[in-house]
């Protein structure tokens, strides 16, 4: 998750810029929403110990904080991190569960049901350049859980292996080393012309099988055909400009 770590953890160390096309201003960044990965596990066997379950692995964020947005020319835009205590949650639950066991006259085996947990920690969000080279320069956003333990054991969803478009990444917030990266579908030029007190707002949705997930805007797509792993979610991102532009090294009031 290098892009998320860079966008969220290292942005405050931007070098000085002298480009006439530079811009630097304070804004309020708000990211709220959730994403659920629903997966199936089935190891049921006739007259043998086995288990089957449906796991719902949900990542929720409610992050709102002041950030500094820095635009350098037409293709580069980053922000410092918006951080909210308790703003990121990863919770997993078994929504269905079954067991099989030895048949008589054999004694039944002891079977342990997976113990799912919820982890809450600091939520962080940041803006960075969309990695797609084609089309006008655009902005992506990343979200992450910065504190709390990492999830282990059976209550762990499979990986979301393929996401469209290029550069998007979906890893549930079950570890402080993982994160979610999604295109914001906003041009960098929109941040250049954003007036003080004005907002840029986008609702970004995710849906589909874990090996063919799609990031999109607009109405919710129909649920994917039943499979072993599916993803569904939405995040609302709001950027409100707060100040005039300032040069590097000059404090933003």
């Amino acid at each position: 998750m290098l892009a998320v770590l860079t966008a969220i953890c290292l942005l405050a160390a931007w070098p000085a810029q002298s480009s006439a096309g530079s811009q630097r201003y304070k804004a309020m960044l708000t990211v709220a929403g959730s994403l659920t990965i629903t997966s199936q596990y089935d190891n049921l066997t006739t007259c043998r110990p086995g288990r089957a379950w449906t796991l719902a692995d949900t990542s929720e964020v409610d992050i709102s904080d002041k950030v500094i947005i820095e635009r350098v020319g037409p293709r580069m835009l980053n922000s410092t991190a918006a951080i909210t205590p308790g703003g990121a949650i990863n919770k997993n639950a078994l929504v269905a569960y079954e067991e099989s066991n030895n048949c008589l006259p054999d004694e039944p085996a002891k079977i342990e049901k997976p113990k799912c947990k919820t982890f809450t920690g600091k939520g962080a969000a940041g803006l960075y350049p969309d990695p797609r080279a084609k089309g006008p320069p655009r902005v992506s956003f990343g979200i992450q859980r910065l504190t709390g333990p990492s999830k282990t054991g059976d209550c762990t969803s499979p990986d979301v292996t393929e996401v469209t478009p290029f550069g998007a990444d979906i890893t549930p917030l079950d570890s402080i080393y993982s994160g979610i990266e999604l295109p914001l579908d906003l041009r960098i030029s929109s941040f250049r012309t954003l007036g003080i007190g004005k907002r840029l707002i986008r609702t970004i949705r995710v849906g589909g099988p874990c090996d063919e997930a799609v990031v999109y805007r607009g109405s919710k797509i129909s649920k994917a055909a039943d499979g072993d792993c599916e993803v569904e979610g939405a995040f609302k991102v709001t950027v409100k400009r707060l100040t005039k532009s300032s040069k590097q090294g000059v404090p933003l009031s």
Side-chain angles (χ1 to χ4, degrees), residues 24-27 66-68 242-246 250-253:
R24 182 172 178 265
Y25 57 81
K26 187 176 291 187
K66 293 178 180 178
V67 299
I68 295 175
L242 301 177
T243 65
K244 296 180 180 179
S245 295
S246 173
V250 177
L252 286 161
S253 57

Side-chain angles (χ1 to χ4, degrees), residues 1 35-37 55-60 89-92 143-145 151 155-160 169-181 210 231 235:
M1 303 306 299
L35 180 148
T36 298
I37 300 172
L55 171 67
D57 187 347
T58 300
S59 299
E60 297 180 351
I89 300 172
N90 177 247
K91 56 184 178 182
N92 40 91
I143 54 180
Q144 195 172 11
R145 177 168 60 89
K151 183 169 56 180
C155 291
T156 302
S157 62
D159 293 335
V160 180
D169 192 11
I170 298 172
T171 307
L173 306 182
D174 54 7
S175 166
I176 60 173
Y177 301 106
S178 63
I180 298 171
E181 305 172 57
C210 292
V231 58
F235 297 95

Side-chain angles (χ1 to χ4, degrees), residues 6 8 10 16-17 19 38 49 82 91 93 108 128 133 139 141 154 182 207 211 213-214 223 231 243:
T6 300
I8 291 178
L10 303 178
Q17 301 289 340
S19 170
T38 304
K91 56 184 178 182
Y128 60 96
V139 176
F141 70 100
D154 290 329
L182 301 174
D211 58 354
V214 178
K223 185 175 177 62
V231 58
T243 65

